Amino acid sequence: MTLYALSKLMFDLNRDDAVKGQFAQDREAIVARYALTEEERGAVLKPDIGLLYVLGVNGQLLMHYAGLLGIEWSDYLQRMRDGVKMHGPVRAGIYALTSSPDEKVAG
Amino acid sequence: MSLVFAGVCSHAPGITGRADRAPKDLRDDFYAGYERMRLALEASRPDALIVIAAEHFANFFMNNMPSFAIGMSDGYEGPIEDVDWLGIPKRQVKGDAALSQRLIKEVMQTVDLAYCEEWKFDHGIMVPLHFLDPDTKLTIIPANINCQGPPLAPLHRAWAFGEAIRRAADSVPERIAVVGTGGISHWPATPDSGRINEEWDRDFLDRWARNDRAAMLAYTDAETYADAGQGGFEIRTFLAVAAAARGKGHVEFYAPIPIYAVGCTAATMDIA
């Protein structure tokens, strides 16, 4: 169930300006509100976009989280490829990689 | 009065957010397709435009996920995304709560749906409005089909939702337009972003333009996921429009534009 909590954090961040503001001030305090595993918590705080992708965060949430952090589009795509190389295949959800992590499809 | 316009189009955020990264001629042709669609929409003189979208966690989440929803407010706002990232400025959009309520009551005769007095528009609605209502003149009624958080409603229920929207549009004195947004094949927001199955898209558009209900309902989600990606689940919005319009479709523009991450589409459909 923790992927749900991790996803909920991304959802709240994406749509709630107050949460967004608090997150900018004190990232750890916001993250503590969600029942995350250590791996998930670390991935959010680092932030490790590649690991968040491998953990199964829906791309429509992760894309906006990366945007919030100011990560440029091509860099975002590369971080996910790197994540798969480092942490292995996507573990859950409907956003699994279908190309090779060494392939650049577009962007 | 009745349904006066029906169409479908793409809504991928790259269409505006990464506008300049596509070949200019291709982009201009695509934008011209949207413009032809806008002119047809304008010529239909709609009192309200129902946008059947497939939103991406701007309003709905897995804590309480409706398969079908319609907005019921006098106003909406969007985009929820960073304006620089999406390339679309924030705007207030006019709604019509009373009209929504009449439509919803009729839809409810056959489809159980959520109604929403709050709704923040994400790129799923804002990208189409950017092209189809550039001056923010139209009254908008947002509708949604869950295409993001499985389990998803089966395709035949999306079809039934479209039929219900047609019945509802015909039951009110206002002139109603409907636009579905989404798809077709794409693998958005993943490293596969830019992968597009053109052959699958063209076959789907052929089924859609013929308004061949059986052929459109023949897909399984497993097949769609394999052939058209998780973005392919959004064919539900196209199906709902076909069910509402009942006529033949006319593809104004289709071309894969990888940096926009989607087979870019703009199409209208006859009302029959």
Side-chain angles (χ1 to χ4, degrees):
Chain A
M1 284 301 286
T2 58
L3 175 58
Y4 174 79
L6 180 61
S7 305
K8 187 78 188 290
L9 165 61
M10 305 274 156
F11 170 69
D12 290 340
L13 271 173
N14 283 342
R15 77 185 305 275
D16 190 332
D17 285 340
V19 178
K20 227 177 265 184
Q22 291 161 3
F23 188 76
Q25 296 294 318
D26 189 349
R27 215 175 265 196
E28 292 205 19
I30 294 294
V31 171
R33 295 180 192 171
Y34 299 83
L36 306 183
T37 65
E38 271 312 300
E39 189 180 38
E40 290 164 341
R41 191 174 163 278
V44 174
L45 290 176
K46 197 174 173 183
D48 188 338
I49 297 293
L51 180 53
L52 290 169
Y53 175 60
V54 167
L55 289 171
V57 173
N58 185 299
Q60 297 293 342
L61 293 164
L62 189 58
M63 171 171 74
H64 292 120
Y65 183 59
L68 176 71
L69 297 170
I71 297 168
E72 189 273 330
W73 179 250
S74 298
D75 183 20
Y76 162 66
L77 300 180
Q78 189 56 46
R79 287 182 193 222
M80 289 189 286
R81 290 186 202 105
D82 292 345
V84 170
K85 277 196 216 174
M86 194 178 302
H87 305 291
V90 174
R91 299 175 199 168
I94 57 169
Y95 277 70
L97 183 69
T98 63
S99 54
S100 156
D102 293 317
E103 184 187 348
K104 265 194 185 178
V105 180
Chain B
M1 187 192 97
S2 61
L3 192 65
V4 297
F5 175 86
V8 295
C9 64
S10 305
H11 68 218
I15 294 167
T16 49
R18 297 188 293 279
D20 296 337
R21 292 179 65 177
K24 186 178 178 305
D25 290 351
L26 197 53
R27 181 198 65 191
D28 290 348
D29 285 352
F30 177 33
Y31 283 15
Y34 272 125
E35 179 61 10
R36 288 193 294 278
M37 197 175 159
R38 186 192 72 76
L39 289 170
L41 172 62
E42 185 176 66
S44 75
R45 294 179 290 109
D47 295 310
L49 167 62
I50 300 174
V51 182
I52 305 177
E55 73 124 49
H56 320 78
F57 309 118
N59 304 277
F60 310 118
F61 192 65
M62 280 73 79
N63 60 340
N64 192 3
M65 179 63 84
S67 291
F68 304 103
I70 293 183
M72 196 171 75
S73 173
D74 284 327
Y76 307 95
E77 60 182 37
I80 192 172
E81 291 92 345
D82 181 85
V83 297
D84 294 328
W85 183 85
L86 187 59
I88 297 178
K90 298 261 187 220
R91 65 161 93 170
Q92 301 291 321
V93 176
K94 192 168 49 173
D96 184 337
L99 173 58
S100 281
Q101 192 168 122
R102 283 182 277 131
L103 294 167
I104 288 166
K105 278 183 179 173
E106 181 56 41
V107 169
M108 279 179 167
Q109 293 292 335
T110 50
V111 177
D112 299 319
L113 80 163
Y115 61 82
C116 310
E117 295 198 39
E118 290 180 46
W119 195 308
K120 294 179 180 182
F121 293 174
D122 71 10
H123 64 268
I125 291 181
M126 291 308 298
V127 171
L129 290 187
H130 178 75
F131 294 101
L132 300 179
D133 183 26
D135 300 322
T136 318
K137 285 182 181 164
L138 294 175
T139 295
I140 303 297
I141 296 178
N144 197 71
I145 302 175
N146 171 29
C147 300
Q148 277 300 332
L152 310 178
L155 298 185
H156 68 89
R157 295 304 296 161
W159 188 271
F161 185 47
E163 288 180 325
I165 285 175
R166 171 60 182 270
R167 216 179 48 245
D170 288 348
S171 75
V172 297
E174 289 86 352
R175 300 172 64 86
I176 304 294
V178 63
V179 166
T181 91
I184 317 172
S185 73
H186 58 314
W187 285 255
T190 74
D192 303 322
S193 176
R195 181 181 169 196
I196 295 159
N197 188 342
E198 180 174 353
E199 188 185 347
W200 191 93
D201 282 353
R202 291 193 183 279
D203 178 62
F204 173 80
L205 280 176
D206 180 60
R207 300 180 198 203
W208 183 82
R210 286 186 281 114
N211 210 331
D212 186 338
R213 177 181 183 273
M216 280 185 273
L217 297 186
Y219 299 101
T220 67
D221 276 349
E223 289 165 354
T224 300
Y225 185 58
D227 296 333
Q230 62 287 105
F233 294 146
E234 293 176 347
I235 58 171
R236 285 168 171 76
T237 66
F238 285 41
L239 265 58
V241 167
R246 301 175 191 155
K248 300 297 180 196
H250 309 279
V251 178
E252 297 288 345
F253 182 87
Y254 172 82
I257 305 183
I259 193 63
Y260 295 168
V262 73
C264 293
T265 311
T268 58
M269 186 171 258
D270 299 333
I271 311 292

